Amino acid sequence: MALTPRRAFWYNNKVRGLRRGVAGCCLAAFAAIFPSTLPAQTIEDLFGRLQIAFAARDAAAYLEAFDPALREREAGPFVSFHKAWKMDSVAFHLANRDANPEGEAGLYFQTLYENPFAVMLEVWHIRLRRDGGRWVIAAKEVSGNIATLYKVKIPSDRAERASRVEIRHQDILLTFQDAWVFYDNIPDMETALLVIGKGRVRFSPSDEGERHQLELRYKTPVVEDVLEYAFLRFSDSFFRSNITIIPAPASAGVLGKSPAPPQTVLNQAYSLFSKYYPLAFTIENSLTRDRLSFIPQTDQVSFDFKGVDKGEMGYIFSPFSDEEIHFLTRDPDKLINLYSPEAETPGGPKRMFISLGEKFAVRRCDVELDFQPEKFYLSARARVQIFAKLDRVDSLQFSFNAKLDILRIFDRDNRELFFTQDKSRNLLYVYLLKPIERGDTATVEVLYRGSLEPMIQTVDVLPMRQMTDSYALVMPRFDTYLYSQGSAWYPAPTEESYFQASLRFSVPPDYTCIANGVLTEQGVFDSRRVSGLDKVGNSLFHFETKVPVKYLSVLFGKLDRLPDSPVPAAVPLQVYTSSDIGSSRLWIADESRAILERFASWFGPYPFEKLTVIQRLHPTAGGHSPASFVVINEAPRLPELLPPPVLGGPVDLSRFREYFLAHEIAHQWWGQAVSGEGYRDQWLSEGLAQFAAISYLRAKLGEDAAAGILKRFSQWTERKSRFGAITLGSRLSYLDFEAYQAIVYDKTAVALVMLRDLLGEEVFFRGLRAFFETNKFKTARTAQFVKAMEEASGRDLKAFFHEWFESYALPDVRVSSAAQKAGDGYVLKIGVSQNRGVFVFPLWMTWEENGRKVRKMLEVNSAAQEFEVRTVARPVRVKANPDKLVPGDFR
């Protein structure tokens, strides 16, 4: 089997497993497995002879371990591993330690081949038989494809002085003059390069919107800077086609050879490689914990470089992503650009991409977890069931916090599985012993533990003033701990995937637990369960989800339950407050019921089994809304301990006590039951929840209150619109957090109110309900929302959504008016012209007739329009956009 670049593609996909120096411990384990049926020496002898013979290149001794019928077939791989792949040693890791070696199920081994610069792994499924008192391999089957990873190292024995280095790719160019070039240690293939010396970078996105993002950060649409160094990862084919290295003339007295780098440069090379190597194409394996690398494919690259003015930067191109080009700053990592390059042929087809996360979907996740609040200590077992969406799925990728230690991973047959981790990205890869076919299921069980502090909330919050060191020193410890999506506290799908779950928790006796689903069991840890004597007296909680959820969340805390309402409700509702909150919040239950009823009439029936609302003290005011429960944070009124919130921000409607509660309950529909497929669709969660909240305030408090809120939202939109379009989603927060809230929350709410005015409430909410019902427990895209509203209204709405959702520009409008006598009344002539794009929006006009105020809506949908309105009396005090609902420049 030839090792081709395609076989070497293991980015988030084909990495299997590796091991060095494991022979001794594995063979000792064999002795413990079969103590009564066979002397330990015979098992050790079988695999010891295989290892010794392989290392000695003794084919005859190696093949003696196999049944005579297998020897001719096994001779081929023996030769290939030595001659073609130059492997020096082999080691074996037994996966199913309690299996009968002669049984039908047989034994599974992760078989590791190794040399100084590479490792290869294949899975053996074997059965043994006795032959004269010795074991021989009677049957052997290799599962899946062979996996190859590399021990990349810089500096290696290859370094040279270059008079010029040039690296070209898509929208970026790096050049160096008179620089040291350090090559990797992999023979006959280039995959890493470190260049140290004076260079330059020029990066200019081909996408106009992304050039605008650069201009916001750097005051220029092009990044140009002097470089100190660059660390590059790439494929061998990329190196040959996109990198040019011109060696410097050899030093005098050293024939045809570049001088050795000075020690200071060597020390810098060691330091830079250690810093950047873990950031791309690198994983840690479960057997040796070594860092190993897979090879980028085709034009897949990762560049890290340091500019004199702009500091550390990164450029990543991934042809396996929806948007291929990533440009970011390092320390901390902050994404600046993310886009697809312009097609080589204008109007040509977009590059096809493969999303590796779509190989499988999670069907069910069951978690049993013990929580010790003193040290935020978790010890858990998670059982994840998946089903294959493609043929021959042999590896699984999960999001999992690298701060937690994985003890072991098993499949449903209790066979130990090999795994690797990308700790810089909190990714876990699990490798199945046998591939599963499309539609089939597999189960993995992950045992893990470790200290993990609760997540830091970054959305649905009021910004706080800067927290000083003195605040941090006296920060009180609050009595609630929330673990949700941002904590990666269990092995979760990396792509949005709806699944069902069973959650069992053990907590100290004075703690309560709230989680997704319905509480089906509650009790106390029984002392008769010897395996958990240290947990005796702990409280036990068991939750089951009856409908799918997209992620798991749990809140542990010292909570007080408020009395249930005697009035029956359509949705089971419970309200808790943290024990440190100080005063009861009895109004929450009644308000929550009213909100639920109103939202159900607008959007469709409540999508989950119950709703639990928790009011707690927390350093940051705001909220969080996982499936079936809502957390409302209240900042303590302790100015001497905590900095006060920044009032007057984009989402600060704190004078309305119902606001955060309505916003968070709305997330049960928008964000939980239906969620955006990507960051560009994030408004389907935050924007729709904001619209729902202000719609509720309008229904409860009246039009005047709603008009004041919308005017404020419109002002924030005007103030921050230049930072980008609604469809930039969370990327807006990388430059300005207030811009993220003003655009994704407030501008979206304003745009949806305008759409409601254009279509009428009945049509608008009919479209909203249809969209929700069609996409319930799924991820959705903006285009699907547009389609639903078009079908409900019978109108083409693409122009409306393009300008308001996909552009950062706002209207520039000139409005003129004149009244003319017409019979026994008047005609009010209104002229509207747009000078910046063509926006579709409702233009509200007001005037007075005989002291009576008149209000009328006009639909603006072209660059220049004339309207005529008949009036009874001469209209006076004519105003356009009087409530400032439509953001932009109106004159």
Side-chain angles (χ1 to χ4, degrees):
M1 186 189 321
L3 181 61
T4 64
R6 184 173 294 277
R7 289 189 181 279
F9 167 46
W10 310 116
Y11 186 64
N12 294 347
N13 187 12
K14 295 286 187 184
V15 186
R16 292 285 198 288
L18 330 155
R19 184 164 188 170
R20 287 198 310 262
V22 297
C25 62
C26 288
L27 296 177
F30 299 150
I33 298 168
F34 315 113
S36 61
T37 60
L38 191 69
Q41 182 60 40
T42 57
I43 292 291
E44 293 176 353
D45 181 62
L46 173 64
F47 291 96
R49 282 188 294 124
L50 280 172
Q51 291 175 290
I52 293 169
F54 187 92
R57 298 177 179 265
D58 187 341
Y62 181 86
L63 295 174
E64 268 188 17
F66 292 87
D67 187 277
L70 300 181
R71 291 173 185 171
E72 184 177 351
R73 189 189 74 180
E74 292 302 315
F78 180 87
V79 172
S80 294
F81 276 111
H82 282 110
K83 291 189 175 180
W85 298 323
K86 300 179 173 57
M87 294 291 129
D88 299 332
S89 63
V90 65
F92 302 93
H93 175 72
L94 181 60
N96 51 338
R97 300 188 179 189
D98 57 351
N100 179 358
E102 297 179 284
E104 189 173 327
L107 303 176
Y108 281 88
F109 288 88
Q110 286 137 352
T111 306
L112 180 72
Y113 303 90
E114 188 171 6
N115 64 28
F117 57 86
V119 292
M120 301 179 76
L121 179 100
E122 63 181 9
V123 177
W124 287 12
H125 180 200
I126 68 170
R127 282 195 301 277
L128 303 181
R129 68 171 177 82
R130 292 177 181 273
D131 183 10
R134 300 170 64 190
W135 287 113
V136 296
I137 298 174
K140 174 193 159 190
E141 197 176 58
V142 176
S143 299
N145 298 316
I146 193 167
T148 306
L149 288 101
Y150 294 87
K151 307 172 186 177
V152 177
K153 184 175 69 172
I154 289 178
S156 65
D157 58 357
R158 296 190 301 151
E160 67 176 348
R161 191 92 181 190
S163 60
R164 179 172 175 80
V165 180
E166 183 175 293
I167 302 106
R168 307 168 300 280
H169 188 258
Q170 292 290 342
D171 297 339
I172 194 168
L173 174 67
L174 292 86
T175 57
F176 288 85
Q177 305 288 338
D178 189 26
W180 283 104
V181 177
F182 293 87
Y183 296 86
D184 64 69
N185 60 314
I186 312 301
D188 305 321
M189 179 170 60
E190 304 297 347
T191 181
L193 205 67
L194 177 61
V195 185
I196 300 177
K198 189 174 182 179
R200 293 199 66 83
V201 61
R202 187 180 194 278
F203 171 66
S204 178
S206 53
D207 182 276
E208 181 181 355
E210 297 300 326
R211 289 196 294 273
H212 177 71
Q213 289 296 304
L214 273 185
E215 199 160 10
L216 287 170
R217 184 174 184 87
Y218 296 121
K219 313 302 182 188
T220 173
V222 179
V223 167
E224 293 185 288
D225 202 355
V226 174
L227 295 182
E228 299 177 9
Y229 57 78
F231 176 72
L232 316 167
R233 291 299 312 275
F234 43 74
S235 67
D236 191 64
S237 61
F238 179 90
F239 175 81
R240 301 185 190 287
S241 60
N242 293 70
I243 298 179
T244 301
I245 300 174
I246 301 175
S251 299
V254 183
L255 298 177
K257 189 173 182 181
S258 178
Q263 190 61 46
T264 54
V265 177
L266 275 173
N267 292 343
Q268 187 180 10
Y270 280 111
S271 175
L272 292 174
F273 179 74
S274 298
K275 178 177 182 178
Y276 291 111
Y277 179 55
L279 300 183
F281 310 108
T282 303
I283 51 89
E284 291 185 17
N285 71 88
S286 61
L287 301 182
T288 67
R289 304 297 180 183
D290 290 341
R291 286 195 179 117
L292 295 155
S293 179
F294 44 92
I295 304 300
Q297 295 299 288
T298 60
D299 51 355
Q300 186 182 27
V301 299
S302 175
F303 302 161
D304 280 284
F305 43 91
K306 183 178 181 182
V308 171
D309 293 332
K310 298 177 175 61
E312 297 177 43
M313 295 171 278
Y315 172 91
I316 299 168
F317 186 89
S318 175
F320 313 105
S321 301
D322 195 355
E323 295 176 298
E324 297 94 337
I325 291 179
H326 305 60
F327 184 75
L328 60 152
T329 61
R330 299 288 194 189
D331 194 28
D333 286 353
K334 207 171 250 191
L335 185 68
I336 300 174
N337 297 113
L338 176 58
Y339 64 100
S340 293
E342 293 291 334
E344 295 181 6
T345 304
K350 186 183 181 298
R351 175 193 307 266
M352 188 179 85
F353 76 94
I354 302 171
S355 175
L356 297 177
E358 294 177 353
K359 295 191 308 177
F360 70 94
V362 171
R363 175 170 285 172
R364 185 174 183 86
C365 183
D366 298 336
V367 178
E368 297 180 19
L369 182 144
D370 176 75
F371 177 63
Q372 300 175 32
E374 294 79 13
K375 297 182 179 179
F376 309 113
Y377 194 80
L378 314 177
S379 56
R381 175 175 65 182
R383 186 179 294 108
V384 185
Q385 183 187 76
I386 65 99
F387 68 94
K389 299 175 75 172
L390 298 177
D391 292 330
R392 296 188 65 76
V393 172
D394 52 10
S395 62
L396 310 175
Q397 174 183 309
F398 298 102
S399 173
F400 188 75
N401 200 305
K403 294 179 180 178
L404 296 169
D405 295 323
I406 296 176
L407 305 179
R408 285 185 180 176
I409 300 180
F410 299 96
D411 65 11
R412 65 166 55 130
D413 295 315
N414 204 36
R415 300 176 300 207
E416 189 170 354
L417 300 179
F418 171 71
F419 64 90
T420 61
Q421 289 181 272
D422 182 342
K423 293 194 172 182
S424 66
R425 294 172 176 81
N426 282 336
L427 293 175
L428 166 66
Y429 304 92
V430 180
Y431 308 97
L432 303 177
L433 292 171
K434 188 175 182 180
I436 57 173
E437 300 301 325
R438 187 189 302 263
D440 289 345
T441 63
T443 301
V444 296
E445 185 176 278
V446 184
L447 306 180
Y448 60 96
R449 65 189 178 192
S451 292
L452 182 65
E453 292 194 30
M455 62 183 285
I456 297 174
Q457 194 170 335
T458 57
V459 297
D460 292 359
V461 298
L462 291 179
M464 306 295 288
R465 291 190 173 88
Q466 183 64 39
M467 186 172 291
T468 66
D469 291 340
S470 60
Y471 285 136
L473 289 173
V474 294
M475 171 72 74
R477 176 154 179 156
F478 299 98
D479 287 336
T480 58
Y481 311 98
L482 175 64
Y483 292 90
S484 194
Q485 188 177 33
S487 298
W489 61 278
Y490 66 98
T494 55
E495 301 287 327
E496 294 283 5
S497 181
Y498 282 84
F499 55 90
Q500 291 190 294
S502 170
L503 303 170
R504 295 179 182 271
F505 301 103
S506 167
V507 295
D510 52 343
Y511 276 75
T512 298
C513 178
I514 306 295
N516 311 111
V518 176
L519 180 64
T520 60
E521 180 184 356
Q522 183 175 353
V524 177
F525 208 96
D526 191 338
S527 62
R528 290 172 295 180
R529 298 172 65 174
V530 178
S531 60
L533 287 178
D534 58 331
K535 308 297 186 302
V536 170
N538 272 12
S539 297
L540 300 178
F541 296 85
H542 180 203
F543 295 86
E544 288 276 354
T545 66
K546 307 300 183 184
V547 297
V549 298
K550 71 171 186 173
Y551 60 80
L552 302 180
S553 303
V554 57
L555 182 140
F556 306 107
K558 296 179 179 179
L559 303 175
D560 298 319
R561 182 173 174 178
L562 300 186
D564 292 337
S565 171
V567 180
V571 177
L573 176 68
Q574 299 173 349
V575 179
Y576 289 81
T577 61
S578 61
S579 59
D580 53 8
I581 205 164
S583 60
S584 64
R585 303 291 186 270
L586 296 177
W587 63 270
I588 292 177
D590 291 337
E591 199 70 58
S592 297
R593 276 192 296 274
I595 292 168
L596 287 167
E597 290 174 7
R598 180 70 68 172
F599 287 173
S601 70
W602 286 338
F603 312 138
Y606 180 73
F608 298 104
E609 314 94 325
K610 55 83 177 172
L611 179 66
T612 301
V613 180
I614 305 108
Q615 179 87 6
R616 65 167 182 166
L617 284 188
H618 194 262
T620 306
H624 183 60
S625 184
S628 77
F629 73 96
V630 161
V631 180
I632 303 297
N633 299 328
E634 180 176 309
R637 296 175 177 87
L638 299 172
E640 72 280 7
L641 297 181
L642 294 171
V646 180
L647 299 179
V651 298
D652 175 28
L653 296 178
S654 54
R655 71 188 184 95
F656 303 104
R657 71 177 189 178
E658 308 92 344
Y659 164 64
F660 267 119
L661 182 62
H663 182 100
E664 299 308 329
I665 291 177
H667 275 311
Q668 299 295 305
W669 281 264
W670 310 116
Q672 290 303 332
V674 176
S675 62
E677 187 167 316
Y679 75 91
R680 291 189 178 275
D681 312 297
Q682 190 178 14
W683 71 269
L684 291 171
S685 171
E686 298 301 348
L688 274 167
Q690 190 77 329
F691 167 79
I694 63 170
S695 295
Y696 179 76
L697 293 177
R698 173 184 177 231
K700 181 178 180 179
L701 304 177
E703 293 288 350
D704 289 344
I709 294 170
L710 289 171
K711 180 179 179 180
R712 191 168 177 278
F713 284 2
S714 183
Q715 290 170 338
W716 271 106
T717 299
E718 291 174 358
R719 194 179 306 175
K720 297 294 184 178
S721 181
R722 66 189 179 89
F723 283 93
I726 288 172
T727 51
L728 276 184
S730 57
R731 286 182 54 192
L732 294 161
S733 66
Y734 303 156
L735 287 175
D736 188 304
F737 186 72
E738 282 191 341
Y740 163 69
Q741 292 186 319
I743 295 169
V744 175
Y745 289 64
D746 295 353
K747 184 182 177 183
T748 298
V750 168
L752 291 173
V753 167
M754 288 192 288
L755 184 62
R756 183 198 67 197
D757 288 350
L758 289 171
L759 302 184
E761 287 203 7
E762 193 276 330
V763 171
F764 176 84
F765 284 114
R766 184 170 71 240
L768 212 51
R769 286 191 294 271
F771 172 73
F772 176 75
E773 187 60 34
T774 300
N775 296 283
K776 187 162 59 175
F777 307 130
K778 298 177 186 175
T779 59
R781 289 208 166 190
T782 299
Q784 292 169 281
F785 183 87
V786 176
K787 181 181 178 182
M789 302 310 288
E790 287 181 333
E791 289 178 350
S793 64
R795 295 182 50 173
D796 185 340
L797 299 173
K798 294 179 183 60
F800 175 87
F801 280 94
H802 181 270
E803 294 299 332
W804 288 110
F805 284 76
E806 298 176 21
S807 171
Y808 64 85
L810 295 176
D812 182 1
V813 183
R814 300 296 177 266
V815 181
S816 62
S817 64
Q820 296 180 353
K821 183 70 175 172
D824 58 352
Y826 288 83
V827 172
L828 176 61
K829 294 187 176 182
I830 302 171
V832 182
S833 62
Q834 298 193 61
N835 303 318
R836 187 190 303 125
V838 177
F839 289 79
V840 179
F841 58 89
L843 177 61
W844 287 97
M845 302 289 300
T846 61
W847 62 85
E848 292 182 11
E849 298 178 34
N850 291 331
R852 180 177 62 89
K853 191 170 184 179
V854 179
R855 182 179 177 88
K856 185 174 181 60
M857 189 194 82
L858 308 175
E859 180 176 328
V860 178
N861 54 30
S862 61
Q865 288 174 267
E866 295 286 341
F867 300 91
E868 292 188 356
V869 181
R870 294 195 63 84
T871 66
V872 175
R874 176 181 291 276
V876 296
R877 297 184 181 87
V878 179
K879 293 182 181 180
N881 197 25
D883 303 319
K884 307 296 184 185
L885 167 65
V886 183
D889 186 3
F890 283 79
R891 281 181 277 175

